[in-house]
Every structure is written in C-alpha cells, then in structure tokens.
Amino acid sequence: MKKKSNAAPPAAPGLFGELPAAAPAPAQKSGLLSFSYSKLSLYEECPLKYKFKYLDKIKEEPKFYFAFGSAIHSALEFLYSVKAPPFPSIEEVCEAFRREWTAKSYLEKGYRTQQKSDDDYQKGLLMLRAYYEHNRARLAPPFLVEYSTDVEADGLLVRIIADKIEYLGEGRLLITDYKTGKDVKRQPSQLYMYQKIAELDPRLKEKIAEQYGQKVSSVRIGRMLYYHVPTNKEYSFERADDKEIGSFWERVLGVAESIRGLKFDPTPGEMQCKWCDYKALCPHFFGGQPHPDPAAAQAAAGEKIETLVDRYGRLKERMDELQAQLSEVAESIGRAAKDGGEYSGAEYSLKVKKNPKWEFKDREAVISVLNQFDLYQRALSLTLTGITGVLDSADIPDDARKKLLEQAVKKTAVDIKIVKKVY
Ligand code: SF4
C-alpha cells in the first residue's frame, strides 16, 4: 500500500557518495511518462529534487512522519477491508497498527530515538481509538479500499491510489483521502487528480458492475474529502467543474513537458531546501556551480566548522545506533543458527560460521600467571591470540594451564557473511 503523510518536520541531512552524471531519460512505459500527484508536487517544489529522486533514483532518508502515516493507513485499510459486517474490533485495528509499526526499527522508520518512536506509537493508538469511536455508528463496507490504478491520459500513465472509495449509486463516487499530519488548509489539487483519473478509469465501471450489478455508462465523482485523522475533521469538496479540472490538467501537462525536456534547474527556497536530503549533491547548495566531488565542493563552499561539527556528531550518533542494532541482530542470528550454515531471506542470503574463542577476565591476573611460570616471553604479545597460543601449547605446566583457564571464558565467535540476492 502507498502511504501518505502531510506533516513537514525537519529531515536530517543526507549521506551521499557521488554526484550523478547527466540526467537519464525520464522513466517511460511504452512511450508514456509515468506520473502521479506526488511527482507533480515534487517537481513543482524543486525540479532538481525531482530529478534526484525519480530519475537518479537516489534514496531519501526515511522520514518518521511517513512511517507514522503509513501505519495509520494500514490500520484503517485493515478496518475497512471487510465485505460485510461485523467490522474488526478496535483491539484488532490496534493490533494491525502494531504489526505495521514493529515491522521496522525506530531508525528504519526515521526516528532519532526509540523513545520518540514509542511516543508516536502511543499517539497512533489513541488516534485510532478516537477514530473508531467517532465513526463506530456509521461504519459501512466501502466500495474500494486503497484502490490503485494506472490510467493513460494525454501521453501520461497516471497513477492514483485512493484510500477509500464509497459508491453513491448511478455511477457516482465519494473518494476519501486520509491525512495524518498537521491540520492545515489544503488545496483541492490532489482531489482534482483523483477526479480526473477516476472518471477516465474503465476498471471502475467494471467493478461497479461486479459489486453492485449496475451497468453505468460513466463514472462521476459525487464528492471528495480530506479526512484529518488526528482531529476527525472532514474537509469536503464538491465535484470540481470542467474549468477547474481543465486548468489543473494544463498544469500537469506543463510539468510533464518540462520533465520530457529534461528541465531540472533547482528552485531553492527556505522550506524546500531545509527539508531536502539532496543538499550534498545540489549545486545551489554549493555556491551555484555543479561540482563533480561533493566533498570537495563542500570544502570549497567554506562550510562553517560549527556546521560540520554538528553534522559529524549527528552521523556518528546514527552510526553508533545502527552498530548497536547490527550487533543485536547478529547475536540473534547466532542464537538461531545453532551450528552455523547457510540461510536465506527474501532479499539476502548469508553464511554463518561458529568458532570457539577465549576471552580473559582479568588482564593483570593473566600477566601474573605468565610471569609465575616464566611464560611471558612465549605469549609474544599480550593479545588474545598470544595468550591463547600459550594456553593451546602442549608443553606448558598443568598448573599454569589450570590457572590460565581460571581466568578464561570460552565463548563462540559468530562470523556472518551476507550477500544481496540478484534476480
Ligand atoms: S537543496 Fe534546495 S535547490 Fe537543491 S535540490 Fe534540494 S530543494 Fe532543490
């Protein structure tokens, strides 16, 4: 399912290795340009940002507000995916939310700390409970939930994904789009895209015939609404008239034309640049000139040492957090893999090897035993390898071995080699 959210909290700066070369051709399917409302709004925000994301396919850092919106959407999808009552209980809806929430770690969701992730989890549960209570009396199986369709229009292949569609009879539809971010005044342009594409979509007529036994000559939007889940407020819009849709579509075709013409000049602005993950690649950000080496460009731009200090600190913090998670997962793999072997997930496969290893509790005590039995020189160095070398020697006195073993703990070293599957 696609997930949406409309808050705009800050994003951490990006980690990028290299500046992409010349723009590749925009993704096209059978000569059609793939398009969506998200693409339209991103291009309008900054064409270069669009290029980085959709043409160069450089991943943005995960955003916690998308993860939050996504989990709420999943829970509501679960609630409405029934063909007939009874509906799932609120506990079951919360469980669907929990499943989605726990599928990723807090870092994968884009949170800086586990605590912030836990706080949002609790916020999500309260939100769903309030939604359920508010809508309990009018729960009805919708026509479609999370309906995704691709429709050809004027050389574009336009994708819409509607959260919920209800059938009002005689080919008329009510489309609902859930919002989980801030409660701000929203323009209806996203709804115009739903209207334009839904009314052109032949599959909807077929689905109406299948589900309601009605043969309709056309599908028309009756009403559309943004539903703000955190406050349970509805922002309802009547079907837009032809003039409104016409001028919206002109806007879409204008953007599509610019994408086809590979027009990707940056349009810097305080807000879009502040939240942009591509700053490290952006010529604007580096003083106006594209630079083949972002690191050198950064230095050339004379970025303040104070900024670099904070950036370094943030990256180090994230690296430590990731390292801690990696160790935790490796330990779990070690436990699950018992004697080692090869294992396969959907995307990766790995080999686990287990080898015994010694660890010594008290360094001073080990030195004292080595000195006592005149073995210090044989250890060569006071590294783990040096000391275990002495311990493994056949010719050391039994007492020395016994005393060294008293300081030693035998553990298992887990060696994991992982490869990404290629299909
Ligand atoms: S930093 Fe600003 S100008 Fe550069 S790509 Fe991002 S949004 Fe566009």
Side-chain angles (χ1 to χ4, degrees):
M1 151 176 147
K2 64 69 207 62
K3 311 302 173 218
K4 305 171 218 168
S5 178
N6 45 352
L15 254 182
F16 301 105
E18 56 189 271
L19 190 68
Q28 302 207 2
K29 190 174 169 185
S30 323
L32 298 170
L33 177 68
S34 303
F35 210 77
S36 65
Y37 185 76
S38 313
K39 289 184 174 180
L40 170 71
S41 60
L42 189 65
Y43 186 91
E44 288 181 334
E45 191 182 320
C46 173
L48 184 59
K49 198 168 178 180
Y50 174 98
K51 173 184 171 288
F52 286 142
K53 182 173 169 119
Y54 290 111
L55 272 70
D56 301 332
K57 300 196 187 308
I58 300 170
K59 281 191 179 167
E60 290 174 277
E61 292 184 11
K63 305 289 187 301
F64 65 85
Y65 42 96
F66 286 146
F68 183 77
S70 166
I72 294 287
H73 276 77
S74 279
L76 293 178
E77 180 183 7
F78 174 80
L79 170 64
Y80 286 110
S81 290
V82 290
K83 293 276 170 241
F87 281 85
S89 68
I90 180 58
E91 299 311 326
E92 288 168 323
V93 173
C94 289
E95 175 55 22
F97 179 66
R98 190 198 63 77
R99 276 198 300 275
E100 174 81 9
W101 195 257
T102 52
K104 287 184 178 170
S105 71
Y106 72 91
L107 287 171
E108 288 169 320
K109 290 199 287 278
Y111 288 94
R112 291 249 171 124
T113 64
Q114 181 67 52
Q115 188 58 52
K116 287 214 179 299
S117 168
D118 293 348
D119 290 349
D120 267 8
Y121 175 64
Q122 293 304 328
K123 193 170 96 185
L125 292 178
L126 289 176
M127 202 180 276
L128 287 169
R129 286 182 189 282
Y131 177 92
Y132 198 92
E133 209 39 53
H134 189 81
N135 289 281
R136 186 194 286 272
R138 53 173 176 165
L139 284 179
F143 170 33
L144 296 163
V145 188
E146 292 297 329
Y147 175 67
S148 170
T149 189
D150 293 293
V151 173
E152 288 186 33
D154 296 327
L156 306 178
L157 186 67
V158 186
R159 171 165 296 181
I160 54 164
I161 308 175
D163 292 336
K164 189 169 76 166
I165 305 182
E166 285 155 280
Y167 187 53
L168 306 175
E170 298 171 344
R172 289 179 316 118
L173 305 176
L174 162 59
I175 297 185
T176 299
D177 187 70
Y178 294 117
K179 298 293 180 196
T180 56
K182 285 184 186 150
D183 185 17
V184 291
K185 186 170 163 48
R186 291 172 205 288
Q187 296 303 319
S189 18
Q190 187 176 358
L191 302 177
Y192 290 167
M193 186 68 104
Y194 287 136
Q195 175 173 326
K196 171 81 182 176
I197 298 307
E199 292 188 353
L200 285 173
D201 182 9
R203 288 174 57 216
L204 281 171
K205 281 192 268 183
E206 291 164 18
K207 285 186 175 290
I208 290 171
E210 270 168 36
Q211 209 157 314
Y212 301 99
Q214 290 183 10
K215 280 202 162 185
V216 293
S217 56
S218 64
V219 164
R220 267 174 85 81
I221 294 298
R223 198 156 60 90
M224 296 178 288
L225 54 93
Y226 290 130
Y227 190 106
H228 187 244
V229 186
T231 56
N232 284 308
K233 280 191 207 158
E234 292 180 11
Y235 297 91
S236 182
F237 296 83
E238 296 302 317
R239 180 181 183 277
D241 63 27
D242 291 350
K243 199 171 157 212
E244 285 167 307
I245 292 294
S247 76
F248 169 72
W249 200 244
E250 283 298 311
R251 191 177 134 198
V252 168
L253 294 180
V255 165
E257 196 50 40
S258 298
I259 293 171
R260 286 203 178 93
L262 303 178
K263 292 181 183 163
F264 299 118
D265 288 338
T267 51
E270 195 190 336
M271 291 307 281
Q272 63 264 43
C273 295
K274 195 171 176 187
W275 314 134
C276 181
D277 279 352
Y278 303 119
K279 284 200 276 288
L281 298 175
C282 175
H284 169 75
F285 194 73
F286 288 105
Q289 289 303 313
H291 199 292
D293 179 349
Q298 187 171 317
E303 196 170 359
K304 284 187 176 165
I305 183 77
E306 293 83 354
T307 314
L308 292 171
V309 167
D310 284 341
R311 183 180 297 172
Y312 184 86
R314 279 198 297 269
L315 291 173
K316 177 79 173 56
E317 224 173 75
R318 293 192 64 206
M319 202 166 80
D320 291 346
E321 283 163 354
L322 284 171
Q323 188 57 53
Q325 287 205 345
L326 203 62
S327 307
E328 212 177 293
V329 178
E331 270 179 37
S332 304
I333 289 176
R335 279 195 298 277
K338 297 208 171 83
D339 299 324
E342 292 191 22
Y343 300 87
S344 195
E347 298 168 58
Y348 296 88
S349 59
L350 54 75
K351 276 188 193 161
V352 182
K353 270 195 194 159
K354 291 186 158 186
N355 299 305
K357 70 164 186 179
W358 292 104
E359 276 181 17
F360 293 91
K361 294 181 273 189
D362 182 345
R363 189 171 184 272
E364 295 305 315
V366 171
I367 293 171
S368 154
V369 176
L370 292 174
N371 281 331
Q372 185 188 343
F373 292 93
D374 209 15
L375 295 168
Y376 196 91
Q377 292 306 318
R378 287 191 46 184
L380 295 175
S381 62
L382 277 177
T383 58
L384 196 59
T385 322
I387 301 165
T388 47
V390 173
L391 196 57
D392 290 340
S393 311
D395 58 345
I396 64 166
D398 286 349
D399 260 11
R401 190 187 313 281
K402 191 171 161 234
K403 288 194 172 179
L404 280 176
L405 282 174
E406 279 168 10
Q407 296 303 324
V409 185
K410 199 167 193 178
K411 294 206 168 171
T412 303
V414 180
D415 177 44
I416 298 176
K417 293 220 169 4
I418 187 153
V419 284
K420 192 167 172 65
K421 291 182 176 176
V422 181
Y423 293 100

